[in-house]
Amino acid sequence: MAWTRKILRVNLTEGSCKEEALNMQWANEYLGSRGLASKYLISEIDPKVDPLSPENKMIMATGPLTGTMASTGGRYTVVTKGPLTGAIACSNSGGFFGAEMKFAGWDMIIFEGKSPKPVYLFIENEKAELRDASHLWGKSCWETEETIKSQHQDPQIRISSIGLAGENQVLYACVVNDLHRAAGRSGVGAVMGSKNLKAVAIRGTRGVGNVKDFPAFMKATSDAKKVLHDNAVTGQGLPKYGTQVLMNVINEIGALPTRNHRDVQFEDASKISAEAMHEKRESDGKPHLVTNAACFGCTIACGRISEIDKGHFTVKNSPKYWGASGGLEYEAAWALGAANGVGDLEALQYANLICNEQGMDPISFGATVGAAMELYEMGILTSEMIGIESPFGSAEALAKMVEMTAVGEGFGKELGMGSKRLCTKYGHPELSMSVKGQEFPAYDSRGIQGMGLAYATSNRGACHLRGYTVASEVLGIPVKTDPLTTDGKPELVKAFQDATAVFDSAGICVFTSFAWTLADVQPQIEAACEGDWSMDKLNEVGERIWNMERQFNNAAGFTHKDDNLPPRLTTEPAKTGPAKGLVNGLDKMLPEYYKVRGWTPEGQPTPETVSRLGL
Amino acid sequence: MWKSLHIDPAKCTGCLQCEMACSYEHTGVMNPANSLIKVFNFEHEGRKVPYTCTQCSEAWCLNACPVDAIRIDRNTGAKLVYADTCVGCKVCTIACPFGTVNYNQESGKVQKCDLCGGDPACAKACPTGAITYIDANWTGYDRMQAWAAKANTPAAAA
């Protein structure tokens, strides 16, 4: 079975916690985690609801493989209507919190309403109660974890919390668990803050003992682990270099967005790369990287644990940042670095630490800084307005901006709205490098054409984790396609989007897909979950989830006109590299994509598609 | 010939596959809360350290037990808790200098690593070789070999 078949419904307005049975028909149609939680959300809220109002709901959900020996089986998702985009938001996190939720006996926690005062949810197996969090309000994620563990005298409690960014409703605030793992994107932390919910603390000791066929499950998970081990990316590249292995690769192919996407190659890319993290620093003779680290159950272990240079200007007077902590991964290194033209590795790590400490998405934050720096260079923003001179490349400005945004002071309040609102306020909406209000991640779609379509059609706004065609276009996984053409990309994007929805809904990490295809995941789900879980069915489940999310966004007011890219990417050709002279060919791909999806030219699923998928 | 669990913390990534394998082997449930091996994460140093019973020769737990519920498995050298004899008095948990024998409130008995009868599940599950099961007389073999390699002497003449 693998599901616990139990949901916890927490009404924050009333202060009540109630157990409900999981809807097993929905589990059979939407699998778990992302898919199943989205089904619940969409069935329970008005799509036009204000994301930061008590009428919005927030769901934390595990998948059937969460808390099992399946490699990477420790994921959980936070699903809600997102405040950054107004679209469905689904943010996925590793660490150890998700498995603990499962061990306590819960598939899902649904939060509704708004607490009259700050509270945290404490769960000990079957027992769940809301507790006063007035002593935690105003504390960082790090202090919150430490305080809760100390107060309960239990170091084995696992915690997800919001920091000051979530409390202040920074529109890209995240929910942080296990100190430096995060449900990172789309502002799910702001929704949690709007509900006066500071943290969820769980101790689970029941375990997972109900998989359908244990011997088959052990064989399937062992076989799949061997595939990860034997693959060059998941077996060697990611453990040694982390996702940062991509920095130099993406720069070389001319798809590293630089200075708010003015450029596609960054002259200092090598200084902020995985290789640089391994090199000994001149200052103290130590490498930046201390070790790699795994999330729960993960046999890849791509996580970075780093130690910042104690003498660096950002931390020389702040010993609390001197210890080892979550280090730079590719997206953060890009957003805090190349996107702003900052080539100072230690400054990027400082900004990254603040993002972890106070719960902010470094992608949207870094990209918003990039937009602000461009407005500064144009003379629209001034150093008086921002509080510091802010040209591209200024590590000092980056450090100052991360501090002010995390605590919501001065210009930080404006940065906390994200680039779309910031650029619109100052008369240049076109300078926001975003789709549906969410900032791009670290791949320029002039150099990787398929990603333009993946961004434009992503259900949670611009995102690399909804359809990672980089795998195919750059790395040749599972087959190599040409990153500079649009040919075949609509089919490719659809295939990645649907498969990713299944990975996310199973409770495993999408990074396994560097080595696994759905065919490697299917035997694990089949052995764990009751019912039939053939390849055909999983493909259909993925497509159903995608279309369900789309229908929600359409009902929320999005149209095909929102499946777009900023004009910079479709009208300003790349200046250097292999993609020199190219813009993104979204106009060629989008109509074909709608056809492949079974949607109308206006981007609405046709009645036949809706009926075929049982929506 | 007995074997020993050999732990190299420098290879541990903290994934907890060992804890799941241990609990599944002993209880049929994947449940780190019931694992007899525990991985400690020293967050601010970036170190993870798996820790379990070393199967002492003069085992404090065995000597302290007032009802002789802890006995030696002659095949593996493991010090085994006989649940039918254990009265749950916890004296062994006080006697063990390392904390690796612990009381279980569900069973009312103590529990500790039993080397899985000679085929430890944790070692099989470890993806990085941080936990291995090797000749009990040669737990220093790897380190000796590493130092020997540093001798950097030329190959002998033919």
Side-chain angles (χ1 to χ4, degrees):
Chain A
M1 292 191 287
W3 299 279
T4 69
R5 296 174 170 243
K6 278 194 331 186
I7 291 178
L8 180 64
R9 186 176 293 275
V10 179
N11 187 309
L12 293 157
T13 308
E14 294 172 2
S16 64
C17 299
K18 288 181 189 140
E19 180 185 324
E20 283 177 19
L22 183 71
N23 183 325
M24 289 308 293
Q25 186 190 327
W26 286 357
N28 190 45
E29 291 167 355
Y30 296 92
L31 191 52
S33 204
R34 171 179 165 188
L36 191 52
S38 299
K39 176 65 180 171
Y40 270 90
L41 183 84
I42 290 168
S43 306
E44 295 190 10
I45 69 166
D46 175 353
K48 294 201 184 298
V49 73
D50 171 358
L52 296 176
S53 70
E55 288 70 38
N56 192 10
K57 298 191 185 188
M58 184 187 88
I59 302 178
M60 290 181 169
T62 62
L65 298 185
T66 307
T68 73
M69 288 177 76
S71 186
T72 78
R75 313 291 300 186
Y76 90 105
T77 48
V78 181
V79 177
T80 186
K81 181 174 174 177
L84 187 65
T85 56
I88 191 158
C90 167
S91 291
N92 184 297
S93 181
F96 299 84
F97 176 83
E100 200 74 16
M101 188 195 300
K102 193 75 168 285
F103 294 151
W106 303 101
D107 288 317
M108 205 181 282
I109 308 170
I110 301 178
F111 294 96
E112 50 193 31
K114 175 184 179 177
S115 172
K117 60 183 175 59
V119 289
Y120 73 101
L121 176 67
F122 180 65
I123 296 177
E124 200 178 73
N125 295 329
E126 301 74 27
K127 192 175 82 184
E129 59 190 33
L130 289 167
R131 297 195 174 195
D132 176 48
S134 50
H135 63 302
L136 300 172
W137 206 254
K139 281 187 160 43
S140 70
C141 299
W142 296 352
E143 291 164 332
T144 298
E145 287 201 23
E146 189 183 342
T147 307
I148 290 176
K149 286 178 181 179
S150 154
Q151 150 195 345
H152 286 270
Q153 297 187 55
D154 189 348
Q156 301 194 70
I157 292 173
R158 304 287 190 185
I159 296 154
S160 269
S161 69
I162 54 167
L164 290 179
E167 289 183 15
N168 296 333
Q169 296 176 24
V170 167
L171 293 181
Y172 43 82
C174 45
V175 180
V176 174
N177 58 289
D178 304 290
L179 301 179
H180 42 74
R181 308 311 311 180
R185 301 219 69 192
S186 309
V188 294
V191 174
M192 189 157 156
S194 76
K195 299 192 170 307
N196 269 331
L197 177 64
K198 179 66 180 176
V200 179
I202 304 183
R203 183 77 203 285
T205 63
R206 301 287 186 236
V208 177
N210 59 349
V211 306
K212 182 174 75 181
D213 180 345
F214 249 117
F217 184 70
M218 288 306 181
K219 175 163 191 328
T221 53
S222 292
D223 290 349
K225 284 173 193 166
K226 187 165 186 321
V227 173
L228 294 176
H229 180 267
D230 293 346
N231 180 280
V233 178
T234 51
Q236 296 157 35
L238 285 174
K240 178 159 188 198
Y241 293 118
T243 52
Q244 270 275 62
V245 70
L246 289 163
M247 185 66 73
N248 287 324
V249 174
I250 301 298
N251 192 49
E252 274 165 31
I253 65 154
L256 189 70
T258 301
R259 289 175 283 270
N260 207 34
H261 287 66
R262 279 181 169 180
D263 299 299
V264 296
Q265 290 182 309
F266 182 38
E267 61 283 0
D268 284 340
S270 66
K271 290 187 191 165
I272 61 169
S273 67
E275 292 79 356
M277 289 170 73
H278 276 269
E279 280 166 21
K280 287 180 181 164
R281 288 186 285 245
E282 279 179 24
S283 53
D284 60 3
K286 289 183 184 170
H288 185 82
L289 183 75
V290 176
T291 185
N292 66 330
C295 294
F296 181 90
C298 176
T299 57
I300 302 172
C302 75
R304 302 291 93 183
I305 302 294
S306 298
E307 222 171 73
I308 199 165
D309 180 351
K310 297 177 181 66
H312 192 260
F313 79 89
T314 50
V315 297
K316 64 183 176 197
N317 298 318
S318 307
K320 72 169 168 169
Y321 300 115
W322 290 357
S325 191
L328 289 165
E329 307 197 2
Y330 174 58
E331 291 296 334
W334 163 78
L336 302 167
N340 313 314
V342 178
D344 177 343
L345 184 68
E346 305 299 331
L348 309 192
Q349 172 63 358
Y350 175 68
N352 191 51
L353 287 170
I354 303 280
C355 284
N356 289 340
E357 183 186 25
Q358 300 298 358
M360 285 197 296
D361 169 18
I363 301 178
S364 281
F365 166 73
T368 302
V369 171
M373 285 181 170
E374 181 156 10
L375 290 168
Y376 175 87
E377 298 222 334
M378 292 163 71
I380 293 163
L381 292 175
T382 64
S383 48
E384 289 71 37
M385 293 160 81
I386 301 175
I388 186 168
E389 289 182 14
S390 304
F392 281 124
S394 170
E396 290 78 8
L398 174 69
K400 175 97 176 165
M401 287 194 211
V402 77
E403 289 163 6
M404 62 168 82
T405 307
V407 300
E409 282 175 6
F411 191 71
K413 287 202 187 86
E414 304 200 24
L415 290 168
M417 299 186 304
S419 67
K420 181 181 164 190
R421 289 166 178 83
L422 181 79
C423 293
T424 302
K425 176 172 176 181
Y426 291 100
H428 288 275
E430 77 284 0
L431 293 182
S432 168
M433 294 297 116
S434 63
V435 175
K436 300 181 177 71
Q438 176 159 287
E439 290 75 12
F440 288 119
Y443 308 90
D444 195 297
S445 60
R446 288 166 290 196
I448 308 174
Q449 291 284 322
M451 285 308 289
L453 180 61
Y455 293 149
T457 59
S458 159
N459 287 327
R460 68 166 184 177
C463 175
H464 58 298
L465 297 172
R466 285 297 174 274
Y468 191 71
T469 63
V470 177
S472 167
E473 295 179 272
V474 180
L475 305 170
I477 301 167
V479 287
K480 183 77 173 77
T481 52
D482 183 352
L484 300 179
T485 74
T486 56
D487 299 344
K489 298 301 161 64
E491 293 82 3
L492 189 71
V493 167
K494 175 184 181 291
F496 269 92
Q497 288 173 336
D498 292 351
T500 301
V502 176
F503 278 67
D504 286 345
S505 300
I508 56 174
C509 178
V510 74
F511 288 0
T512 55
S513 65
F514 285 115
W516 290 351
T517 64
L518 208 49
D520 296 291
V521 182
Q522 183 271 334
Q524 304 183 71
I525 297 175
E526 170 75 34
C529 302
E530 68 183 9
D532 153 55
W533 293 94
S534 64
M535 285 294 288
D536 285 348
K537 174 163 169 179
L538 287 175
N539 281 314
E540 186 183 273
V541 166
E543 190 177 3
R544 180 180 296 125
I545 292 167
W546 191 267
N547 279 270
M548 167 181 68
E549 294 171 343
R550 176 76 179 191
Q551 284 185 313
F552 176 85
N553 286 351
N554 286 342
F558 288 92
T559 71
H560 64 290
K561 291 180 185 144
D562 299 298
D563 294 343
N564 61 9
L565 296 172
R568 176 160 288 171
L569 295 162
T570 52
T571 61
E572 296 178 25
K575 294 174 196 156
T576 61
K580 186 176 176 181
L582 284 184
V583 295
N584 185 268
L586 180 65
D587 55 338
K588 293 196 266 305
M589 296 183 281
L590 195 59
E592 182 62 24
Y593 171 83
Y594 288 164
K595 268 189 227 159
V596 172
R597 276 260 170 237
W599 294 354
T600 67
E602 286 72 45
Q604 301 275 354
T606 61
E608 295 76 42
T609 301
V610 170
S611 146
R612 177 172 60 83
L613 295 170
L615 285 162
Chain B
M1 189 174 75
W2 289 351
K3 289 187 162 190
S4 285
L5 275 176
H6 186 58
I7 292 172
D8 182 353
K11 290 183 180 166
C12 177
T13 62
C15 74
L16 308 190
Q17 285 282 347
C18 57
E19 295 194 11
M20 281 187 283
C22 176
S23 55
Y24 176 64
E25 176 72 22
H26 291 93
T27 67
V29 176
M30 292 174 279
N31 186 8
N34 267 335
S35 175
L36 306 173
I37 185 167
K38 198 82 204 150
V39 179
F40 293 88
N41 185 356
F42 298 94
E43 194 67 52
H44 301 297
E45 301 163 45
R47 293 194 303 132
K48 294 112 191 158
V49 184
Y51 206 83
T52 190
C53 175
T54 65
Q55 315 293 350
C56 310
S57 296
E58 289 292 325
W60 279 270
C61 61
L62 182 150
N63 287 323
C65 181
V67 294
D68 290 333
I70 301 179
R71 300 166 216 157
I72 300 173
D73 180 339
R74 294 286 169 200
N75 292 321
T76 63
K79 310 302 174 293
L80 305 182
V81 177
Y82 283 75
D84 54 352
T85 313
C86 174
V87 296
C89 74
K90 312 178 194 66
V91 169
C92 58
T93 70
I94 301 165
C96 174
F98 309 107
T100 55
V101 55
N102 282 285
Y103 180 68
N104 181 299
Q105 49 186 300
E106 277 77 41
S107 65
K109 315 285 182 185
V110 297
Q111 57 187 21
K112 66 178 286 300
C113 171
D114 58 5
L115 296 178
C116 296
D119 189 15
C122 56
K124 279 189 288 186
C126 179
T128 62
I131 306 169
T132 50
Y133 190 54
I134 62 170
D135 184 340
N137 287 3
W138 283 101
T139 52
Y141 189 93
D142 280 354
R143 265 176 293 165
M144 280 173 82
Q145 188 182 44
W147 282 102
K150 286 182 191 177
N152 198 25
T153 45

